[in-house]
Each structure stands twice: as structure tokens, then as C-alpha cells.
Amino acid sequence: MAILVVGAGFAGSVIAERAASAGKQVVVIDRRAHIAGNAYDHPDDHGVLVHRYGPHIFHTNAPHVAEYLSRFTDWRDYEHRVLASVDGSLYPVPINRTTINRLYGKNLSEPEVEQYLASVREPRDPIRTSEDVVLSSVGRDLCDKFFRNYTRKQWGMDLSELASLVAARIPTRSNDDDRYFTDTFQKMPREGFTRMFQNMLDQPNVRVELGTDFKDMDRSKFEHIFYSGPIDEYFDHRFGKLPYRSLSFQHEHLPGQQRFQPVGTVNYPNDFTFTRITEFKHLTGQTHAGTSIVREYPQAEGDPYYPVPSEQNQQLYKQYQALADAETSATFVGRLAQYRYLNMDQVVAQALVAAERKGFGTVREPVMAGAAG
Ligand code: FAD
Ligand code: UDP
């Protein structure tokens, strides 16, 4: 009997590749018309490579994840940079020395920035919410200028209602480092994410069925199911709907315009109903006479993109998790099925563990030549 993998995103594709490499017959389904899940990229009508579901930048500190994905793609170096538009001017995010000096018309050294932050921060103990994180790291003025309104737009909730892990994604720096991520491995798949997924799934014992929903499948035909869709949907919303935040992506091509903005992403914390604009050519390094951008408009309804990290939602998720733990015929993998705000590399790492547990082989750190044992 074959293995059924529900979802052709990172979670599903890693499982499928591992299972097939271990000699299993694998059927991968996705209700969308394409593979690659939310990391799907494709040339738009003008030939610019765009990410349909918003900007995806690959970064990791896990060498075995980088090594594993390198089996399916070459890479190009890319360090993401983000500016926030506040009162009509652009400032680096994460907040760093430049942000503070430019915003307040100062010329502080690194130790002076640390002193400044120490003087404005409002220490909180314990740190429970995202508001606690931001106030205890940068104080109220920077919180109100950079975080409060962006967060309300993005999540439809106040910082104080969101778990600390949301705002904790964004560090505060007293130096001039203006990279969004500081991971050791920051690269983009040279020919795009979709091509990388094609290489993962292009195996004789993997069959991919697109436009196919799990609800229409005969589960009894499969030896085991790996499910990467929303967990509450799997259990017919038995305990009620888990909130997933959605987005509407407004893509636009600007013909004859080489560059739209100075960096990959510009955030608009306080203006407009969209949160940010991303210009893809920065991410991909593509040269083209025109350029393509996307604006992200958060919304409550629509495709599920983000689990919403709050105490209340975590309680509801735990009820579903108990059902999932008892389900011996299925394994729940990925962002939607585990209801966790995971980056791509974390999803890969967890899928590799799930595959190993099922006996599909181990992906570990390659032993470096010459390294002592
Ligand atoms: P998904 O990619 O969501 O794949 C799940 C798949 O399952 C989907 O294709 C769906 O159609 C399918 N499916 C669901 N239910 C069913 C069903 N019933 N039947 C059939 N198919 C089904 N991560 C980073 O590391 N860096 C970034 O820069 C980054 N940027 C992001 C930007 C945005 C706007 C978003 C939303 C996410 C971003 N992420 C980023 C996170 C990244 O998208 C996820 O970590 C990753 O895509 C999760 O992979 P997955 O396989 O768990 O889920
Ligand atoms: N955030 C913010 N202002 C910013 C950037 C981020 O308030 O300029 C907050 C916001 O709540 C956001 C969270 O930090 O949802 C995490 O940001 P990240 O860029 O990691 O979000 P993602 O790329 O996952 O949407």
C-alpha cells in the first residue's frame, strides 16, 4: 500500500521525498493547482519571478537542513533588508543604531544606544505577551511608531493579546547591522522554490495529484497518511474553528521601471491597509526592464496562512492535538497541522524528524573531512 501525503508544501514534499527514497510508493495530493505550498514562485505575465503567496526568504542556522535542500537546488546569496516607513521617512527594521539616530536626530555610539534603550525601556516580568517583549526592549515611543499599528493590521489584535513569540521574532540592535536575519545560511534557491520542489518530487515512485482535496480521498487505500493541512479541518472542526490569519496579495507589474524601492521589503506600520510592499527583483537577483511588487492586505477570512499565537488559541489547539496524538493512521506535519508559526527551515527540520521516525532514513550533519571524531 502507498503512503498518502496531503499538501505539497515543504512539510509534505520533504516527507514524500524521504519516503520515496526509502522505497515507498507515495501519492502526494494538493488542492491547489501547483506544488510548493506557500513557497510557490512562478514567472508573472511579464516574465518576472514572483512569489504568489508573499515574500519567502530562506534562512537557517541548521546545517543539516541546508545540506538536505542543497541536494535539490543551487543557491544564490541573498541577505534580506527591510525599511519601515514612519512619518514619511524610511528607517531600518529591526530597530538598530541607525534607526534611533535618524529618528531622533542624534549621533549616538553603540554604548550610548544601549544606554538610551535602557532609559526608555519598560521592563516586564514575566514576559507573556508581544507587548511585554516590545516595551521591555525599546519602550513606548518606538513601540507605537514601529510595532503597535503594524501588529493590529497584521493580526487584527493588539500586541497585548498576542503571545510573546510573535514580536520576539524581531530583535533590537545597538549596532548598525541592518540585515533582517542573522542566520549563518541565507540564500535563495537559484532557480526558484518551485524548481527545487520539482526536483524533490521528481521520482519514479512519487505520484503528484493536484487540484485534489483530502476530503475526496479513500483513506483506507493507504498504509499511512502524512497530513499538512489545517488540523481543525481534519477533525471536522469538532471543537470549533481554530483562527488562521489570512492575507490578500495584490501583485503589480511596473513596466519600464528598474527599481521601485531601495530594499526587498518596505513596511508601512501606520499608513495604508496593507502591511508591506515587497519588490521581487531584490530577492531573486533577476534583471528585467520592469519590476514586480506585491502588497499584503491582512484579513480574517480566506486561505489559512498564519496560526494566530494566543493563549486561548493554544488551548483550543491542544484539544485537537490530543486527537492527533491518538490517530495512529496519520502523522501531522507542518505549519497548519501543528498550528505553529514556523519558518520554512523549521518545517523542513521537523518533517525530517517525522520521516526518520517512520523509518525513512536519517538526514544528519555531513561529517567534515578532516574533522576529529
Ligand atoms: P504550506 O506551504 O501551507 O503547505 C500546505 C499545503 O497543503 C498547501 O499547498 C495546501 O493547499 C495543502 N492542503 C491543505 N489542506 C489540504 C487538503 N485538505 N487537501 C489537499 N491539500 C491540502 N518562512 C520563511 O522561512 N521565510 C520567509 O521569508 C517566510 N515568509 C512568509 C511569508 C508569508 C506571507 C507567509 C504566509 C509565510 C511565510 N513563511 C516564511 C512561512 C512558510 O510559508 C512556511 O513555513 C511554509 O510554507 C510551511 O510549509 P507547510 O508545508 O507546513 O505548509
Ligand atoms: N512587526 C511589527 N512591525 C514591523 C515588523 C514586524 O510590528 O515592522 C511585528 C508584527 O506583529 C509581525 C511580527 O512582528 O507580525 C513578526 O514579523 P515578521 O516580519 O517575522 O512576520 P512575517 O514575515 O512572518 O509575516
Side-chain angles (χ1 to χ4, degrees), residues 57-105:
I57 297 112
F58 189 79
H59 56 99
T60 190
N61 283 318
H64 73 294
V65 169
E67 182 277 322
Y68 171 72
L69 293 178
S70 302
R71 298 177 192 181
F72 313 105
T73 186
D74 290 333
W75 302 93
R76 79 173 277 271
D77 290 332
Y78 174 68
E79 288 180 329
H80 194 49
R81 287 184 166 74
V82 176
L83 296 169
S85 172
V86 172
D87 297 334
S89 298
L90 297 178
Y91 303 95
V93 172
I95 288 169
N96 68 5
R97 192 173 81 103
T98 317
T99 315
I100 289 170
N101 279 338
R102 229 189 256 165
L103 189 67
Y104 298 119

Side-chain angles (χ1 to χ4, degrees), residues 90-329:
L90 297 178
Y91 303 95
V93 172
I95 288 169
N96 68 5
R97 192 173 81 103
T98 317
T99 315
I100 289 170
N101 279 338
R102 229 189 256 165
L103 189 67
Y104 298 119
K106 294 177 188 280
N107 190 18
L108 303 179
S109 64
E110 242 185 272
E112 286 168 340
V113 169
E114 274 158 28
Q115 277 169 22
Y116 175 78
L117 289 171
S119 75
V120 294
R121 69 170 55 111
E122 297 180 15
R124 298 277 173 114
D125 185 18
I127 303 256
R128 279 213 194 87
T129 70
S130 279
E131 182 179 56
D132 296 337
V133 171
V134 179
L135 289 179
S136 65
S137 50
V138 297
R140 201 159 288 269
D141 192 48
L142 289 165
C143 175
D144 289 347
K145 286 190 163 76
F146 288 84
F147 287 91
R148 192 169 303 279
N149 301 328
Y150 185 106
T151 300
R152 185 161 281 292
K153 259 196 279 187
Q154 172 70 11
W155 300 97
M157 291 162 75
D158 189 67
L159 275 168
S160 59
E161 298 170 278
L162 278 165
S164 58
L165 67 93
V166 177
R169 291 169 62 84
I170 313 297
T172 307
R173 303 189 183 126
S174 52
N175 61 20
D176 294 328
D177 191 348
D178 63 349
R179 295 171 305 160
Y180 206 59
F181 308 110
T182 52
D183 300 41
T184 49
F185 186 98
Q186 303 189 45
K187 293 174 197 287
M188 297 290 277
R190 186 170 287 283
E191 294 179 71
F193 285 103
T194 304
R195 176 58 65 86
M196 180 177 79
F197 279 83
Q198 280 165 353
N199 292 338
M200 292 171 85
L201 296 173
D202 185 17
Q203 301 203 45
N205 38 348
V206 175
R207 197 169 82 231
V208 179
E209 295 178 6
L210 298 175
T212 305
D213 201 301
F214 178 54
K215 70 176 172 11
D216 302 323
M217 301 295 290
D218 180 355
R219 302 178 193 196
S220 67
K221 290 212 169 106
F222 296 94
E223 175 190 330
H224 192 76
I225 296 163
F226 287 90
Y227 178 85
S228 73
I231 188 168
D232 54 338
E233 189 180 318
Y234 182 96
F235 294 108
D236 299 323
H237 307 108
R238 195 175 305 180
F239 303 122
K241 277 195 166 186
L242 271 170
Y244 292 89
R245 193 68 173 161
S246 191
L247 294 169
S248 160
F249 300 99
Q250 302 296 319
H251 287 266
E252 189 181 352
H253 179 73
L254 306 162
Q257 195 171 325
Q258 276 290 334
R259 274 276 176 263
F260 175 75
Q261 60 189 29
V263 291
T265 298
V266 175
N267 289 352
Y268 292 85
N270 309 313
D271 312 310
F272 310 112
T273 51
F274 54 84
T275 48
R276 56 188 181 187
I277 300 182
T278 295
E279 183 179 10
F280 292 105
K281 280 165 65 181
H282 288 280
L283 280 55
T284 60
Q286 189 180 2
T287 48
H288 193 284
T291 196
S292 294
I293 60 172
V294 66
R295 294 179 176 82
E296 295 173 54
Y297 294 83
Q299 52 190 37
E301 300 304 323
D303 275 0
Y305 293 119
Y306 293 85
V308 183
S310 75
E311 188 110 6
Q312 194 186 346
N313 297 343
Q314 198 53 29
Q315 290 309 322
L316 180 54
Y317 165 66
K318 280 195 174 137
Q319 292 183 266
Y320 285 111
Q321 192 186 19
L323 293 181
D325 288 346
E327 189 93 351
T328 51
S329 60

